[in-house]
Amino acid sequence: MFNLVKGTHDIILNEADKYTYVEQTLIQFAEFYNFKEFRTPIIESSDLFQRSVGDSSDIVRKEMYTFLDKGDRSITLRPEITAGIIRSIVNNKLLALGDYPVKAYYVGPCFRYERPQQGRYRQFNQFGIEIAGVTSPYRDVEAISFGYFALKLLGFENLKLKINSLGDDESRKNYREALNKYFASYVDQMCDDCKERYKLNVLRILDCKIKEDQEIIKNAPKISDYLTDKSKDYFQKVLNSLDELGIEYEIDDGLVRGLDYYSDVVFEFHYTSSKGLSYGALGAGGHYNKLIGEIGGPKDCEGCGLAMGIERLVSVMEDDGLFSNIDDGIDCYIMPLSQEFQPNALNILSLLRLNGFKSEVSLEGKSLKAMFKKALKLNAKFALIIGEDEIKTNSIICKNLSNQEQESILIEDLVRYLDSQIDAEEEHHHECCCHDHNESDKDCCCHAHDDEGKHCCHNQNEDHECCREKKGN
Ligand code: HAM
């Protein structure tokens, strides 16, 4: 037995279905926003992250998995994906013709040597988007609104969007000077990390989580007092547009983000599960005005983006029962009554699979009772039984496991028969009140919650019948 490496975890079986569901939902939504998929390497040159995420960030100073390869090159397992995406956009000259913007989405593993705790792993997965070639504050709004509506689509209500502006270079220069002055008289009493941060980049002190230091940080100057008119105007345009879109936010002037490449708008999505658990930010991002130029792209080219932690999304969605719509069952379970019928079972299995029915077969010589038990465990819609009579008549017994009705069906009619049964089943659901609209006449009942916060489908309607059973109007 080998133990997992600390801070890593297996994503298997039903858990993996949940990851796929979350990733697919985000990918499909990103396609609506006209983002294109980018797959970049997990290993990059270490200096890419030193340059972009920044030498003064905790990520570069303490958390990177860096090693020398056999050719003595310093390589790092990516701690985040933005830098690799921008490197790829620049290397592939996608901005060279000034055909802005380039819109990328990505999903994959990241690595940070952090102290493992709830929602914090050493290997974790991110989904994210980047917009390279931003020339309007409304592109920032596009990125923020993508994150907001994508999280809504996954079922998150009562999201908290925290937003702030770090301003342009001049705003931050003035702000840094003010912070340097302020912290000069406190830095000796602060933690060793903050002493280091004071020398490297005083802004990073604002990220310190140590209680005693936070007391000092509380009274530090605020960035909002140092924004230039241009930055104020940019930020206001973003806020006005969020208002127009009905996206609620909270301005948090302590939000500075831990990566060095940000300028102007930065944001984080927070959420507390119904169990009262919070796993840190579900997703976060912001604008970057220098990153593209620093990685070798056009000097004046700006960008913005965001990334979400899939582990955190899945944990909160599990807590809040937001995976009820994942169908992990199969269509057919084939049950040969004797081992000698296995070849026939395999032929039928192939026919079904090639016709789009998710199917499994019993080849372990189990009893009929044990096979039925397995069919239920697999959440099969139909049990298909093959015995001697069926072989002789080239037929199969189809038992519908939801209503327990069974019929003998000729193999040549099997696909048509199963299609019609499944259609009839779906027809029933279409008439069901679940597909109707609720009182507000806006939300589909399926996606709404009742007064007690329970999912409507599993609740009772006014007549005290189950919503699912009631036929439309
Ligand atoms: P970040 O805030 O470092 O930003 O990470 C984004 C998200 O990844 C976090 O909100 C969190 O959900 C998840 N995450 C981060 N660290 C861990 C961890 N150790 N375990 C589990 N989940 C984690 C970035 O990475 C930026 N690249 C975002 C961005 C994109 N900014 C502009 N474009």
Side-chain angles (χ1 to χ4, degrees):
M1 288 272 279
F2 291 93
N3 291 331
L4 276 169
V5 172
K6 191 173 174 187
T8 66
H9 63 130
D10 294 324
I11 302 166
I12 58 169
L13 303 168
N14 290 349
E15 186 80 350
D17 288 344
K18 293 173 185 168
Y19 276 72
T20 304
Y21 169 78
V22 169
E23 289 169 5
Q24 287 303 323
T25 306
L26 294 171
I27 287 171
Q28 278 172 19
F29 198 56
E31 303 266 352
F32 285 141
Y33 279 67
N34 194 31
F35 287 99
K36 298 281 179 217
E37 185 176 12
F38 277 57
R39 299 184 192 208
T40 58
I42 286 171
I43 51 173
E44 299 271 5
S45 298
S46 303
D47 51 5
L48 173 69
F49 301 110
Q50 284 155 359
R51 204 28 111 69
S52 56
V53 175
D55 278 328
S56 76
S57 67
D58 280 4
I59 295 179
V60 171
R61 283 173 53 228
K62 299 189 273 190
E63 296 170 0
M64 293 212 304
Y65 282 88
T66 296
F67 58 95
L68 287 180
D69 72 4
K70 292 191 196 314
D72 266 351
R73 301 171 198 92
S74 180
I75 303 289
T76 293
L77 302 185
R78 64 184 181 196
E80 57 103 60
I81 310 185
T82 307
I85 296 291
I86 299 301
R87 180 206 49 68
S88 167
I89 290 174
V90 170
N91 285 8
N92 288 288
K93 301 192 173 37
L94 303 184
L95 293 165
L97 298 176
D99 186 14
Y100 296 174
V102 174
K103 295 171 69 175
Y105 76 79
Y106 52 85
V107 54
C110 298
F111 305 82
R112 294 184 193 176
Y113 193 82
E114 293 193 82
R115 197 165 62 79
Q117 50 190 293
Q118 196 165 49
R120 202 170 284 287
Y121 297 89
R122 290 186 175 169
Q123 177 173 342
F124 60 97
N125 292 280
Q126 277 191 349
F127 169 90
I129 53 157
E130 305 300 335
I131 308 178
V134 169
T135 56
S136 152
Y138 303 109
R139 286 286 178 205
D140 293 67
V141 175
E142 186 181 22
I144 300 168
S145 67
F146 170 81
Y148 181 84
F149 291 120
L151 290 171
K152 284 250 171 192
L153 186 65
L154 288 172
F156 291 98
E157 298 294 335
N158 307 319
L159 275 172
K160 189 180 271 183
L161 166 60
K162 294 185 181 181
I163 192 164
N164 193 22
S165 174
L166 300 180
D168 52 13
D169 295 347
E170 193 188 330
S171 314
R172 280 196 314 289
K173 183 174 159 281
N174 294 338
Y175 184 46
R176 259 194 212 107
E177 278 170 17
L179 287 179
N180 273 324
K181 216 183 266 171
Y182 173 79
F183 284 116
S185 49
Y186 295 106
V187 68
D188 289 344
Q189 316 159 31
M190 298 180 87
C191 71
D192 287 347
D193 244 355
C194 280
K195 290 190 181 90
E196 183 85 10
R197 288 167 174 144
Y198 184 75
K199 281 187 236 149
L200 290 171
N201 177 358
V202 68
L203 255 166
R204 293 277 76 86
I205 291 187
L206 304 179
D207 294 334
C208 182
K209 300 283 177 291
I210 302 207
K211 212 168 146 215
E212 292 76 20
D213 290 352
Q214 280 182 349
E215 282 303 305
I216 299 171
I217 292 167
K218 213 168 62 185
N219 299 318
K222 301 288 178 224
I223 179 79
S224 46
D225 294 326
Y226 294 85
L227 294 181
T228 58
D229 287 346
K230 195 169 153 230
S231 288
K232 272 189 203 150
D233 180 57
Y234 196 96
F235 192 34
Q236 198 53 53
K237 283 195 170 111
V238 169
L239 298 180
N240 291 348
S241 179
L242 292 175
D243 289 335
E244 292 279 327
L245 290 170
I247 297 176
E248 285 180 21
Y249 54 82
E250 176 188 304
I251 299 174
D252 177 350
D253 56 11
L255 182 71
V256 287
R257 309 269 306 123
L259 301 91
D260 283 356
Y261 49 62
Y262 291 116
S263 60
D264 283 298
V265 182
V266 288
F267 55 91
E268 287 183 355
F269 291 103
H270 290 259
Y271 180 81
T272 306
S273 79
S274 54
K275 288 185 182 161
L277 295 173
S278 166
Y279 296 82
L282 294 180
H287 187 98
Y288 35 87
N289 63 354
K290 285 269 166 33
L291 176 65
I292 299 171
E294 273 167 9
I295 291 181
K299 285 280 164 283
D300 54 348
C301 185
E302 307 193 10
C304 67
L306 77 95
M308 303 188 191
I310 309 286
E311 274 72 6
R312 293 190 189 177
L313 294 179
V314 169
S315 299
V316 185
M317 288 174 70
E318 274 172 347
D319 282 358
D320 282 8
L322 298 179
F323 285 116
S324 53
N325 49 351
I326 292 185
D327 178 7
D328 61 354
I330 62 169
D331 294 314
C332 305
Y333 187 56
I334 307 181
M335 305 173 6
L337 292 180
S338 147
Q339 303 228 0
E340 66 190 282
F341 307 140
Q342 285 187 0
N344 310 67
L346 218 63
N347 290 342
I348 295 169
L349 181 68
S350 176
L351 171 83
L352 291 175
R353 287 175 172 168
L354 294 177
N355 278 280
F357 295 99
K358 193 171 162 188
S359 305
E360 187 49 276
V361 65
S362 171
L363 298 176
E364 290 69 37
K366 288 190 176 121
S367 70
L368 187 62
K369 193 174 164 201
M371 288 194 284
F372 267 118
K373 216 167 148 190
K374 180 78 178 174
L376 289 180
K377 193 168 169 206
L378 290 171
N379 206 0
K381 292 191 180 83
F382 299 93
L384 305 187
I385 305 157
I386 312 175
E388 209 164 334
D389 289 350
E390 284 67 44
I391 300 285
K392 279 187 199 144
T393 54
N394 209 17
S395 63
I396 194 161
I397 295 173
C398 282
K399 181 161 186 169
N400 183 328
L401 294 175
S402 56
N403 60 19
Q404 302 301 315
E405 284 169 12
Q406 73 175 47
E407 279 184 67
S408 175
I409 306 293
L410 286 174
I411 300 298
E412 63 192 56
D413 294 335
L414 182 60
V415 167
R416 231 172 304 132
Y417 173 80
L418 289 171
D419 267 337
S420 66
Q421 290 273 309
I422 289 173
D423 279 354
E425 199 96 337
E426 277 172 7
E427 185 80 1
H428 169 76
H429 282 299
H430 274 297
E431 287 168 15
C432 167
C433 154
C434 294
H435 296 271
D436 216 324
H437 288 79
N438 64 9
E439 283 162 5
S440 71
D441 235 359
K442 226 168 66 206
D443 308 315
C444 171
C445 233
C446 299
H447 301 281
H449 289 78
D450 66 6
D451 291 345
E452 289 162 18
K454 290 190 199 135
H455 198 273
C456 210
C457 297
H458 298 280
N459 218 319
Q460 316 237 305
N461 62 16
E462 281 163 3
D463 301 319
H464 287 277
E465 291 157 358
C466 171
C467 242
R468 267 207 186 282
E469 303 304 328
K470 187 174 175 260
K471 298 267 191 331
N473 296 349

